[in-house]
Amino acid sequence: MNKAILMGRLTRDPEVRYSAGENALAIARYTLAVDRRFRRDGEASADFISCVAFGRSAEFAEKYFRQGLKIAVTGRIQTGSYTNREGQKVYTTEVVVEDQEFAESKSSSDSYAASHPQQSAAPAPSMPSPSAASADGFMNIPDGIDEELPFN
């Protein structure tokens, strides 16, 4: 079984490209800084893991993911190689994303971003927020709504 589960922060905005051809496919690449569980000599350390997402997942990453955002990713580890311009063989390892999701509320993400200024001044796109959102970033669901849900 080849399964990777990661939680970390984006080191920069995802880089998104589209394949050539009639049915262009979005391809998003980003790097996650994943904290290590154990620290040596009290120093914080992290692993920087390359991830690649395709199709709708890539489009989602392009629209909503920004530097510093904490996300959770599941996928599979894929290795490969290529020959660079100097004729040297380069080996690669990356996680091919199968599922990705936010790992913190928007308010937590905003407070992290405020305390860790980004290098670029480009504003992040605003995500729709319900008017009934509470301080923790989650929507308040009124009592008695169970009867209206289609999957009840």
Side-chain angles (χ1 to χ4, degrees):
M1 179 187 310
N2 181 354
K3 190 72 157 179
I5 303 170
L6 306 169
M7 184 179 300
R9 294 194 183 274
L10 293 162
T11 60
R12 61 180 179 268
D13 292 355
E15 177 184 317
V16 180
R17 294 184 180 173
Y18 289 84
S19 63
E22 191 174 310
N23 297 324
L25 178 71
I27 303 165
R29 293 187 179 279
Y30 53 83
T31 301
L32 282 183
V34 179
D35 289 333
R36 291 185 180 167
R37 177 172 247 164
F38 301 103
R39 300 166 190 248
R40 180 177 289 176
D41 300 327
E43 290 183 25
S45 60
D47 292 305
F48 297 90
I49 301 173
S50 298
C51 300
V52 61
F54 297 94
R56 295 181 72 117
S57 293
E59 292 168 0
F60 182 87
E62 179 180 36
K63 188 171 182 179
Y64 296 112
F65 288 1
R66 294 292 173 254
Q67 179 181 357
L69 181 69
K70 189 175 193 178
I71 63 170
V73 170
T74 59
R76 61 183 170 82
I77 297 173
Q78 179 173 289
T79 60
S81 64
Y82 64 93
T83 305
N84 67 13
R85 293 180 183 169
E86 290 81 37
Q88 298 171 327
K89 193 161 194 167
V90 178
Y91 294 93
T92 62
T93 302
E94 60 192 3
V95 172
V96 178
V97 175
E98 294 169 355
D99 187 36
Q100 59 190 3
E101 57 190 67
F102 300 106
E104 66 185 352
S105 68
K106 178 140 173 53
S107 60
S108 295
S109 176
D110 289 346
S111 65
Y112 177 85
S115 64
H116 296 81
Q118 293 182 5
Q119 300 200 352
S120 70
S126 61
M127 295 209 20
S129 60
S131 59
S134 64
D136 64 1
F138 292 95
M139 182 175 179
N140 294 323
I141 299 178
D143 293 331
I145 196 149
D146 295 342
E147 297 81 33
E148 298 177 29
L149 297 176
F151 48 84
N152 208 358

